[in-house]
Amino acid sequence: MPPALSRILICRTDNIGDVVLTLPLAGYLKGLIPGVQVDMVCRGYAAPVVRCCRHVDRVLALEELDIDRLFRDQEYDTVIFAFPHRAIGRAARRAHVANRVGSSHRLHHWISCNRLAHFSRARSALHEAQLNFALLKPIGIEHQPELAELVSLYGLQAPRAASVEQLLDPSQFNLILHPKSNGNGREWPLARYTELAALLRSDPEVTVWITGSRAEGEVLAREAPQLLESPNVRNLCGRLDLQELVALIGMADGLVASGTGPLHLSAALGQPTLGLFPPIKPIDIARWGALGRNAVSLSGEQACGSCTDAQSCRCMDAIGAGQVAAVIAGWRARVAQRRRGVQLEEAAA
């Protein structure tokens, strides 16, 4: 049985995708321990995502946090470092927080944490979302969830945004392509995205929305102008804040991306999602694949063994635009069938 836990702080101060894959940990704790409060500290730019999670009671933006006062103002009995943070670790130790949990692979955790989890993320065969549960073992909670269980524990719901609703035509099949990853993973080549947009052009009811930061939009304008100039493509790079992006993903009919935050967001929201990955450990589907009830992932058949440049990866180029278009065609057919059903119901009424 777990110890008497009542106020838990999860520290996850890295990227959006990593934060999303930590949310099932909060969901599991909320279900396991009646009445427990689960808060999360994350980077400010990721906070709008965490605020969409019903399992997190309070979201603390790192940049707005007075770390020295954190544990004086909040009587946490447990801090779980899903991502290490030295200053928060030192503050938790000074405050004598009863359970300070961190990975034994971080040297400073041997000083700041009193409960160490002994596991290696790099060498594990588990998905990243599963690995987070190893951090519960030092506090007496032994549970290794299956992937299907994790899907039910996200607790994410997309917000509504009038600015986004005005953009989308509900009679269209609205597809999001998120080509860049802010340098966080292997990317499907821009030439492939351009080829995909060309394949989709034959269907006048498909609208392609390109998302990304302003800087990523500049890269696309420079390196893939044909993609942005395609008549079925709408460029939203740099035009949406994170909350609006979450709203867009929640309203869209599907999303395609490599291993990046919006991919995991879309999967967690239950949206049709396609992740594109290299067959290279530890950045493959097994570790980082899109995890959701309507999510799938594609990979090249085998690692080329010589992809030293992430920007020109032959493994990623091996995923054909036709393969991706076939997955989208399946989504398209299901949406068309659902819309026909709604029309028949309305006609019968």
Side-chain angles (χ1 to χ4, degrees):
M1 292 293 293
L5 308 178
S6 62
R7 293 177 63 87
I8 300 172
L9 179 67
I10 298 174
C11 180
R12 189 84 214 206
T13 55
D14 49 348
N15 299 309
I16 290 173
D18 306 271
V19 170
V20 170
L21 294 176
T22 306
L23 296 178
L25 187 64
Y28 178 73
L29 289 168
K30 293 289 282 189
L32 179 69
I33 307 169
V36 70
Q37 177 171 324
V38 178
D39 297 349
M40 182 177 286
V41 57
C42 61
R43 292 168 64 186
Y45 90 110
V49 171
V50 186
R51 293 191 182 104
C52 294
C53 178
R54 67 176 181 272
H55 301 313
V56 177
D57 295 290
R58 188 162 176 253
V59 183
L60 306 173
L62 178 64
E63 295 84 350
E64 301 171 5
L65 196 61
D66 186 338
I67 294 174
D68 291 329
R69 294 186 55 182
L70 173 62
F71 298 105
R72 294 201 302 268
D73 295 345
Q74 304 292 329
E75 296 181 359
Y76 293 110
D77 51 60
T78 303
V79 182
I80 299 173
F81 289 95
F83 188 78
H85 194 282
R86 289 176 183 266
I88 296 176
R90 289 194 295 265
R93 181 173 179 267
R94 288 194 303 269
H96 303 290
V97 174
N99 305 298
R100 307 184 303 276
V101 185
S103 167
S104 63
H105 284 240
R106 298 285 182 166
L107 184 59
H108 60 89
H109 281 168
W110 288 81
I111 299 172
S112 60
C113 296
N114 62 347
R115 299 182 185 274
L116 296 174
H118 304 284
F119 69 100
S120 170
R121 290 186 185 270
R123 292 195 294 270
S124 176
L126 295 174
H127 193 279
E128 177 70 11
Q130 292 174 307
L131 283 168
N132 291 320
F133 281 73
L135 294 164
L136 299 182
K137 291 182 180 180
I139 53 176
I141 302 174
E142 294 272 351
H143 182 62
Q144 182 56 71
E146 298 294 330
L147 294 180
E149 180 186 354
L150 290 168
V151 169
S152 68
L153 294 173
Y154 281 120
L156 273 182
Q157 183 173 358
R160 306 295 293 185
S163 57
V164 172
E165 292 176 357
Q166 292 169 2
L167 287 173
L168 300 185
D169 181 348
S171 68
Q172 290 285 102
F173 181 88
N174 292 285
L175 175 70
I176 299 172
L177 302 183
H178 193 89
K180 305 300 290 179
S181 66
N182 196 29
N184 290 321
R186 298 289 176 99
E187 297 171 353
W188 203 40
L190 294 178
R192 291 294 194 196
Y193 279 105
T194 303
E195 184 181 351
L196 174 63
L199 290 174
L200 298 174
R201 197 183 307 158
S202 61
D203 189 338
E205 295 185 356
V206 175
T207 299
V208 177
W209 300 90
I210 306 294
T211 57
S213 67
R214 186 178 302 278
E216 289 170 338
E218 292 172 356
V219 172
L220 296 178
R222 185 171 61 250
E223 299 181 9
Q226 288 182 314
L227 171 62
L228 300 184
E229 293 166 3
S230 181
N232 59 337
V233 167
R234 308 290 182 268
N235 182 11
L236 292 178
C237 290
R239 291 181 54 189
L240 304 177
D241 61 26
L242 184 55
Q243 183 169 331
E244 290 172 321
L245 177 61
V246 179
L248 176 71
I249 292 172
M251 293 184 64
D253 297 302
L255 178 143
V256 178
S258 56
T260 186
L263 175 80
H264 297 296
L265 259 174
S266 180
L269 288 167
Q271 295 293 82
T273 305
L274 175 59
L276 307 174
F277 291 88
I280 303 171
K281 293 186 177 299
I283 56 174
D284 60 350
I285 291 172
R287 174 71 182 278
W288 292 102
L291 187 61
R293 65 177 182 270
N294 291 307
V296 293
S297 295
L298 285 178
S299 176
E301 292 186 2
Q302 63 183 26
C304 70
S306 60
C307 289
T308 57
D309 182 4
Q311 301 305 313
S312 57
C313 178
R314 285 185 290 168
C315 305
M316 293 297 284
D317 189 55
I319 304 171
Q323 292 176 270
V324 176
V327 174
I328 296 168
W331 297 344
R332 178 84 172 87
R334 288 194 292 274
V335 168
Q337 184 178 22
R338 185 173 67 248
R339 289 175 178 172
R340 283 196 297 271
V342 170
Q343 290 171 353
L344 289 173
E345 289 179 2
E346 291 176 346

